[in-house]
Structure formats: structure tokens, C-alpha cells
């Protein structure tokens, strides 16, 4: 057995939060050879992962581990897992690493990271892009906030989980850049939908329009991935919800306000995403933000409906 294989087999990782993202991360790390256990407050979610061959534990039974990888909805959930009895701050062994892959509030992240380090543990914020598919295929994009020495220690874990990692600074910096990224993604969904709707009204086929955009300087991950995969196909099943994107925009706006940054386009984007929670509830796929604009331009009309209208 070579040195790398020994490192993988002897490193124990506890994945806490086994939802859309955490499940895929746990399965990927298990496949890569790490010793994995998973935990979630929801018994059905734990059972689903046990059925896929991973050891799972209720939160009160979490024991010693080298790494605690968190994939939780919000900073409040992260705070609870760390601090509320039986919190990791009180029972994780000295030197173990808390790695928060959730999209969290950077202000709270910096407070928690300081408490984690004061307790003799190491901190890494490691928010992700790439959705459930990226998590289960080990192809996430990861933004890292923490000490360079912690990034190096976590290198084998990061390599197994990701296609690309970018170390952007100390604790909290990963979460700051993740909010900046998600603001741009939320804005691109609106601008790309408006552009495709305009082209449709002018008689351009939406697929052809998208190909044109993707050969030009207006392209983005939204035009290259979201539109073909989830928007034009009408599948709207990316695994990332309206509720999570609304949370990320609120956090981006709070961060901008806290720093005294004047309101700009972020406010318009925020207002649009929060405008209609009744017809677009938090449980819907986040790509649905484009639907109303595209339906108004008749983008999903069948040929038969189009003939009827002529
Ligand atoms: P999810 O709601 O599917 O999963 C969260 C899981 O955490 C749930 O299973 C829930 O039961 C569990 N949980 C909540 N509180 C807990 C606690 N105290 N202890 C243990 N488990 C607890 O959410 P998700 O889509 O997997 O997203 C997780 C994080 O990743 C979020 O911060 C989200 O913004 C971020 N993210 C999601 C995506 C995506 O495409 N889904 C992409 C990038 C980033």
C-alpha cells in the first residue's frame, strides 16, 4: 500500500448534513477510500445513506474524527452543530478540522472560526459550486477560506471532491466570494432570460440564440449550463432551490450593507428574486426564476399552439 492510500484509509471524515449536497460528498469520499460516517438530524435521510453503504449516526452519537465536513442549510445550523450541546466545539479532538461547505454568512463564519481555533481545532470554509451532480461525481468547484497549512492538510480530501479549488484568503473569505458568485449567477439568470425572450419575440429560435450567445462575450455558466440543461429543456430539476438562492442574495445584501457599499444592481436583483413567493415558492428549482419571462415570450409554446395563434 502506498503512502497516499494509507493517508486515505486512516483519515476519518464525518459528513454532517446528508441532503442534496452532503449525500453526494459522502459517497464520493467513500469511493475515494476515506473512512466515512454521516450524520443528519433527519432519520429518513440517515437511513437513505445507510442503504447506500455508509455508516450513519444520529447527532448525539458523533464521535472522534479527523475532519468534520458540514453541509447545512444556513450559518444558524452551523452554529448549532458547533455550539449547542453536544456541540463539536466541546467534543471534537484537538487538531481536527471543521470544514464548512455550506453557503454561510461570512460575518458569523469569522466569529465561529475564531472560536474553533481557540478550542484547538482548525477551520476551513469551503463553499461549493456544481450542484448535486458535482458533489456525487467529485467535480465541485470549491472556494477556500482558512490557513494555508489547513488547506495543505486537506489537500487529499479536496482533490477527491473537486475539479478545481481556489484559496481566496483567511477564514470567511471563501464564504464572501461564494456570495459574490451567487449574486452574479442570480443576475445572469435574469439577464439571460430577458435576452433570450427578446430574441424569441424577434423570431430567433431559442436554441440558436443560445449557441450565438455562447460563442460571444455575453456567455456565462448560466448560458452554457443552466439554460440548455434545465431551462430550455423545461426540466427545472437542478437540485438547488429558490429558497437557497434567496438566502444567498439576502446574505450578499447584508454583507454589502454592513460594509457601507451603496445600493446598486444587487437591490434590483434581490427585489426580483423575492417578488412573488406565492407563485414561486422556496421549494421550486432556482432556474424557475426565468420561467415567467420566457413564457410571456411564448418560448414553451408547441408548434401546434403557435399555428393556432397564426
Ligand atoms: P438540503 O436542505 O438538501 O440538506 C441539508 C441537510 O442538513 C438536510 O438533510 C437537513 O436535515 C440537515 N440538517 C439540518 N440541520 C441539521 C443539524 N443540526 N444536524 C445535522 N443535519 C442537519 O441542502 P443542500 O441543497 O444539500 O445544501 C446544503 C448547503 O450547500 C446550503 O448551504 C446550500 O446553500 C449549499 N449549496 C447547495 C447547492 C445545491 O445545488 N443544492 C449548491 C451549492 C451550495
Amino acid at each position: 500500500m502506498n503512502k497516499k492510500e494509507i493517508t486515505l484509509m486512516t483519515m476519518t471524515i464525518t459528513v454532517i448534513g446528508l441532503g442534496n449536497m452532503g449525500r453526494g460528498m459522502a459517497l464520493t469520499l467513500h469511493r475515494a477510500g476515506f473512512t466515512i460516517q454521516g450524520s443528519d438530524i433527519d432519520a429518513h435521510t440517515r437511513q437513505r445513506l445507510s442503504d447506500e453503504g455508509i455508516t450513519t449516526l444520529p447527532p448525539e452519537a458523533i464521535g472522534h474524527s479527523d475532519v468534520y465536513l458540514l453541509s447545512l442549510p444556513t450559518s444558524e445550523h452551523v452554529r448549532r452543530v458547533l455550539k449547542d450541546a453536544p456541540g463539536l466545539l466541546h467534543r471534537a479532538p484537538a487538531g481536527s478540522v471543521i470544514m464548512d461547505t455550506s453557503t454561510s454568512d461570512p460575518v458569523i463564519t469569522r466569529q465561529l472560526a475564531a472560536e474553533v481555533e481557540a478550542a484547538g481545532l482548525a477551520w476551513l470554509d469551503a463553499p461549493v459550486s456544481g450542484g448535486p451532480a458535482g458533489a456525487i461525481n467529485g467535480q465541485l468547484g470549491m472556494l477556500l477560506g482558512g490557513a494555508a497549512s489547513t488547506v495543505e492538510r486537506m489537500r487529499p480530501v479536496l482533490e477527491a471532491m473537486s475539479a478545481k479549488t481556489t484559496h481566496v484568503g483567511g477564514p470567511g473569505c471563501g464564504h464572501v466570494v461564494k456570495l459574490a458568485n451567487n449574486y452574479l449567477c442570480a443576475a445572469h439568470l435574469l439577464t439571460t432570460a430577458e435576452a433570450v425572450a427578446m430574441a424569441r419575440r424577434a423570431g430567433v429560435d431559442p436554441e440558436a440564440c443560445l449557441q450565438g450567445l455562447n460563442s460571444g462575450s455575453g456567455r456565462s455558466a448560466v448560458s452554457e449550463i443552466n439554460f440548455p440543461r434545465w431551462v430550455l429543456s423545461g426540466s427545472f430539476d437542478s437540485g438547488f432551490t429558490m429558497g437557497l438562492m434567496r438566502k444567498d442574495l439576502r446574505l450578499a445584501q447584508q454583507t454589502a450593507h454592513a460594509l457601507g457599499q451603496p445600493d446598486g444592481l444587487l437591490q434590483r436583483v434581490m427585489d426580483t428574486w423575492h417578488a412573488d413567493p406565492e407563485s414561486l415558492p422556496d421549494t421550486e428549482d432556482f432556474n424557475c426564476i426565468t420561467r415567467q419571462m420566457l413564457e410571456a415570450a411564448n418560448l414553451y409554446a408547441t408548434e401546434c399552439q403557435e399555428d393556432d395563434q397564426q
Side-chain angles (χ1 to χ4, degrees):
M1 200 179 290
N2 64 35
K3 197 172 157 207
K4 187 175 176 196
E5 286 168 331
I6 293 170
T7 309
L8 297 188
M9 289 199 57
T10 55
M11 194 186 276
T12 304
I13 304 173
T14 303
V15 179
I16 303 177
L18 304 172
N20 286 323
M21 299 300 286
R23 167 183 169 264
M25 292 179 198
L27 290 169
T28 292
L29 291 168
H30 178 66
R31 259 196 334 269
F34 293 98
T35 303
I36 301 298
Q37 48 195 21
S39 182
D40 198 288
I41 38 164
D42 182 62
H44 292 292
T45 305
R46 290 199 303 272
Q47 187 58 49
R48 184 180 63 169
L49 202 64
S50 302
D51 293 345
E52 294 183 279
I54 307 275
T55 305
T56 61
L57 310 159
E60 62 279 9
I62 293 174
H64 278 202
S65 190
D66 298 303
V67 181
Y68 298 89
L69 189 160
L70 314 185
S71 178
L72 296 163
T74 69
S75 288
E76 178 51 24
H77 297 87
V78 174
R79 192 196 62 72
R80 270 185 236 151
V81 165
L82 289 174
K83 297 182 71 167
D84 286 2
L88 293 180
L89 273 183
H90 309 291
R91 61 188 166 138
S96 57
V97 179
I98 309 287
M99 183 163 139
D100 182 16
T101 68
S102 326
T103 304
S104 301
D105 179 337
V107 174
I108 298 178
T109 294
R110 286 179 173 157
Q111 289 161 1
L112 292 175
E115 293 184 57
V116 161
E117 285 169 1
L121 317 176
W123 173 269
L124 191 64
D125 38 292
V128 297
S129 289
I136 204 152
N137 295 322
Q139 292 294 310
L140 293 167
M142 299 181 80
L143 297 161
L144 307 176
S149 56
T150 309
V151 173
E152 276 323 299
R153 268 176 71 197
M154 287 300 95
R155 189 59 65 196
V157 179
L158 299 169
E159 280 177 2
M161 296 173 70
S162 66
K164 188 171 169 63
T165 58
T166 311
H167 185 196
V168 291
C173 292
H175 284 148
V176 171
V177 179
K178 176 64 180 164
L179 295 182
N181 177 78
N182 280 20
Y183 160 47
L184 290 178
C185 176
H188 289 163
L189 277 160
L190 301 179
T191 53
T192 308
E194 205 171 350
V196 171
M198 177 188 76
R200 168 72 170 169
R201 286 192 166 93
V204 180
D205 173 66
E207 305 271 358
C209 170
L210 211 56
Q211 278 177 24
L213 295 178
N214 286 335
S215 70
S217 55
R219 71 184 182 278
S220 65
V222 161
S223 65
E224 289 182 328
I225 299 170
N226 295 50
F227 263 65
R229 204 174 286 175
W230 299 301
V231 177
L232 293 193
S233 71
S235 70
F236 296 105
D237 59 355
S238 73
F240 187 64
T241 61
M242 286 293 298
L244 287 175
M245 185 55 107
R246 284 176 175 143
K247 168 206 63 164
D248 295 348
L249 285 168
R250 278 195 298 273
L251 288 177
Q253 193 187 44
Q254 276 169 27
T255 305
H257 280 174
L259 296 167
Q261 177 160 301
D263 277 340
L265 274 180
L266 174 54
Q267 186 62 52
R268 289 283 302 277
V269 172
M270 171 92 178
D271 290 346
T272 309
W273 276 80
H274 285 81
D276 196 0
E278 274 173 24
S279 57
L280 267 183
D282 281 352
T283 47
E284 286 270 25
D285 190 273
F286 81 122
N287 291 289
C288 290
I289 194 69
T290 61
R291 205 165 49 195
Q292 204 184 5
M293 243 188 284
L294 296 174
E295 278 173 356
N298 253 350
L299 188 124
Y300 296 109
T302 60
E303 277 177 29
C304 176
Q305 283 170 311
E306 283 174 355
D307 289 347
D308 289 349
Q309 285 160 5
Q310 281 164 7

